[in-house]
Amino acid sequence: MTRRGLAALRDIRIAWAALAAAMLGSGALILATAHGESFGIDEMFYLGRMVEDSGRIVQHHSLDLGYLLGPYNGHLQLGGKLIYEATFALFGADYSAFVVVNVLALWAAVGLIFELARRRVGPLAALAPCVVLLFLGFAREVLLWPFDVHTLAAIAFGLGAFLALEREDRLGDVLACVLLTLSVVAVALKQKLLVGMALLVLWRPDRLRRLWIFAVPAALYVAWWIWARRFHQDQSALSIDNLHLIPKTVFYAAAAVLGSLTGTNPVLYATYITAVTWFGKALAVLAALAVAARLARRSVPAALWAWLAVVLFYWVTMGAAARPPEGSRYVFFGAVGAILVGAEALRGRVGPRLALGVVVVALLALPANIAQLRSGAAADTLHHDAGVSRAEFTALELADGRVSPEYIVSADPAVAAAGGGLYIGIPAGAYLRSVARHGSAAFTLAELRGQPDELRTIADIALARSIGLAPQAAPGPGGRRCRVLAPAPGAESAVFPLPPGTTFFEPAGAHPVTVGAHRFADGQSLVLEEVPAGAWRRLTVPRDAAPEPWRAVADGPLRVCR
């Protein structure tokens, strides 16, 4: 980058334009990387409007307060639920729309970070780390998974509150209170930002007159917390038994964050966790010494204490809850805090040379972060689970009207054995009501036919289990037409179609015959039964929207009657 280019970036308008260009590049990269994702894991609770209440899953058919205010893992997530419902209402179940919304929230958060930092260290020194944040692959979960939109929304609202407070007027105070309240209802970051705001207000000589700015959202959260105890969720994973983990967690979290911001963490394949390196640890030690030296001087700005309190409170609670400091979901907020601590510590002290140094570090950090963002994207959990869940959703939609509303396909041992087990499943009734409200999240039949055989096998088993495809003991077929089907010479089995309706069969010889079936998969997906010799079975296949017939697979001669 030329000297003239660096000088231009010190102009606020040009710096904003450069940030906007970086935002567009980041958004395009995220959309390309997230292609192929779909609803999964925690999102199932949003998709099915479900709340865990006293150990059981309660499905809500409307946006009642029980759903909107019901906790998830002990957290208030009203903001996340409303964002998902608004996106459903506008775009249906098109998952790419949710990725776009997450990108917009990322842009909003980074734009506010830039404005806060710019006021302390100037446009150029503020721009560089914000560009890294936009491509922070070591925090890839927050960038790639729309469920974390509530994290980005909480950050954006909270930073907006800090900026509003700087207006130093009544309108700014009101805006700060409103935005902080919105941050509080978004997700668990609320308490950390609330701590920072409380410290800023209490630091002021007019603290009593402005106490309400943080007292109102704090009181609302406490009221919700008392009400939410009725759900008997683990509202806090904090434990005194984890106190010994706090020092190491704080140190490792700082090392992970600084290693991420400098691009010195190793690129790991298809993972949502980063690594703590010796270089990251060295950076953490140096950063701690630098901050300590700054605090030892006079005229320490209150905002530096506030952001230190936010970051340290965040990392201390992570340790008390035994959270992994290397988790990519925790790196992003830690990086935000580290940047703002740095900006406050260097307020008014950043000259051209130091700004240039920050730019160089950022440029060096980008390749590793981009590589980590893209690393193994098609094989990571979000992409893998998307294919599984969409195959299972296709089966549920084909079984609509016959599947039990309480059936959870991904929890079915037969489906799980084929690779269809998911960390969090959704009852069939909740999913099908979601389809009625917002449209399908499943593969179309054409898309399913083009999937790997593993996913088509999962769809076969899920559909068979959903409709109860199982032979039933029966008397002889009466006057129906019968024929004997046997494996061809040299073949291990005989394959024949099972059209909609009822088919009777029995072994045609003196030995039992194992009968299996498949529909979308290339070969046998499931075993229906080992039928004893001389025993008739009746198998009823319901009609559905797929033109492909089920096919039976028999490892011996079978008398088949229709």
Side-chain angles (χ1 to χ4, degrees):
M1 184 176 289
T2 66
R3 182 175 300 177
R4 180 178 298 179
L6 289 171
L9 287 174
R10 296 191 186 101
D11 182 279
I12 296 175
R13 290 172 298 179
I14 295 177
W16 270 110
L19 182 63
M23 287 177 174
L24 291 175
S26 167
L29 184 63
I30 291 170
L31 285 171
T33 306
H35 179 71
E37 291 181 7
S38 187
F39 301 98
I41 319 176
D42 306 73
E43 288 172 306
M44 296 300 190
F45 280 81
Y46 287 177
L47 185 65
R49 288 181 180 170
M50 302 183 298
V51 174
E52 182 183 349
D53 188 349
S54 302
R56 60 190 181 90
I57 301 300
V58 178
Q59 302 170 34
H60 293 260
H61 298 182
S62 63
L63 294 179
D64 55 63
L65 292 180
Y67 169 65
L68 292 174
L69 296 179
Y72 181 69
N73 284 343
H75 301 309
L76 172 61
Q77 293 188 180
L78 174 61
K81 291 175 182 178
L82 290 178
I83 290 171
Y84 264 65
E85 288 293 338
T87 309
F88 277 131
L90 290 172
F91 304 104
D94 182 355
Y95 199 75
S96 60
F98 292 82
V99 178
V100 170
V101 169
N102 196 55
V103 168
L104 294 176
L106 172 67
W107 290 356
V110 173
L112 290 164
I113 295 164
F114 172 72
E115 181 59 22
L116 274 168
R118 179 195 67 79
R119 297 182 182 187
R120 275 79 179 163
V121 297
L124 182 58
L127 175 64
C130 285
V131 171
V132 175
L133 276 181
L134 289 169
F135 296 90
L136 196 64
F138 294 107
R140 67 198 302 265
E141 179 177 323
V142 176
L143 274 61
L144 295 178
W145 192 23
F147 181 77
D148 277 321
V149 69
H150 49 220
T151 297
L152 295 169
I155 293 172
F157 286 132
L159 296 177
F162 280 81
L163 279 170
L165 192 68
E166 294 183 2
R167 288 175 54 96
E168 299 290 348
D169 59 15
R170 179 51 61 93
L171 176 59
D173 291 353
V174 172
L175 285 174
C177 180
V178 171
L179 290 170
L180 191 60
T181 301
L182 292 174
S183 179
V184 163
V185 304
V187 77
L189 294 173
K190 51 199 172 281
Q191 303 99 327
K192 289 73 180 177
L193 295 171
L194 195 59
V195 166
M197 181 64 73
L199 198 154
L200 270 182
V201 172
L202 293 173
W203 200 276
R204 305 171 62 92
D206 57 351
R207 62 183 68 89
L208 294 180
R209 186 171 62 84
R210 306 179 87 182
L211 201 67
W212 58 273
I213 295 174
F214 70 87
V216 170
L220 290 174
Y221 176 72
V222 169
W224 171 84
W225 185 86
I226 294 172
W227 172 82
R229 291 175 65 83
R230 62 190 286 268
F231 290 86
H232 298 100
Q233 290 189 18
D234 181 13
Q235 292 184 288
S236 175
L238 306 180
S239 172
I240 194 171
D241 295 334
N242 296 327
L243 290 180
H244 68 286
L245 297 176
I246 291 176
K248 181 179 178 180
T249 298
V250 171
F251 181 47
Y252 273 45
V257 164
L258 294 174
S260 299
L261 286 173
T262 57
T264 55
N265 286 352
V267 175
L268 304 177
Y269 181 76
T271 182
Y272 288 91
I273 196 164
T274 186
V276 175
T277 66
W278 67 266
F279 192 77
K281 294 176 183 178
L283 289 175
V285 171
L286 291 175
L289 292 174
V291 170
R294 178 66 184 91
L295 295 177
R297 298 180 181 181
R298 295 182 179 179
S299 65
V300 176
L304 176 54
W305 289 108
W307 282 110
L308 275 174
V310 169
V311 174
L312 289 176
F313 184 44
Y314 182 59
W315 289 340
V316 166
T317 53
M318 281 172 53
R323 302 298 187 193
E326 306 93 338
S328 67
R329 66 166 57 186
Y330 305 116
V331 168
F332 189 86
F333 185 69
V336 171
I339 290 170
L340 293 174
V341 166
E344 290 293 349
L346 296 171
R347 183 197 285 253
R349 292 176 166 82
V350 178
R353 291 185 178 180
L354 183 53
L356 177 60
V358 174
V359 171
V360 170
V361 171
L363 291 175
L364 293 174
L366 282 174
N369 273 285
I370 292 173
Q372 183 63 73
L373 184 68
R374 296 283 294 168
S375 175
D380 64 19
T381 301
L382 295 179
H383 288 81
H384 171 269
D385 285 6
V388 172
S389 62
R390 294 189 72 192
E392 294 173 355
F393 290 162
T394 303
L396 292 179
E397 291 181 31
L398 289 172
D400 191 8
R402 293 175 294 275
V403 61
S404 166
E406 304 304 319
Y407 176 65
I408 301 177
V409 59
S410 62
D412 188 323
V415 179
L422 296 172
Y423 182 65
I424 296 177
I426 181 173
Y431 172 70
L432 293 172
R433 280 190 293 272
S434 175
V435 173
R437 288 192 302 266
H438 311 304
S440 173
F443 287 128
T444 64
L445 291 174
E447 288 173 332
L448 179 63
R449 295 181 189 112
Q451 298 306 308
D453 192 59
E454 174 192 359
L455 294 182
R456 288 181 280 127
T457 297
I458 290 171
D460 278 357
I461 299 172
L463 179 57
R465 302 285 288 181
S466 296
I467 63 177
L469 187 68
Q472 304 295 321
R480 294 175 181 258
R481 290 185 57 187
C482 301
R483 58 175 178 157
V484 174
L485 300 174
E492 294 182 355
S493 58
V495 180
F496 58 93
L498 292 170
T502 300
T503 300
F504 291 82
F505 53 83
E506 72 161 346
H511 302 286
V513 174
T514 299
V515 180
H518 67 97
R519 190 175 191 184
F520 300 106
D522 295 333
Q524 179 175 306
S525 300
L526 67 155
V527 173
L528 295 177
E529 185 186 0
E530 183 181 56
V531 184
W536 280 99
R537 293 292 186 262
R538 179 182 70 245
L539 183 65
T540 300
V541 177
R543 188 178 301 276
D544 57 34
E548 291 92 340
W550 281 97
R551 295 186 177 275
V553 181
D555 67 355
L558 205 65
R559 183 172 291 104
V560 180
C561 308
R562 295 192 180 96

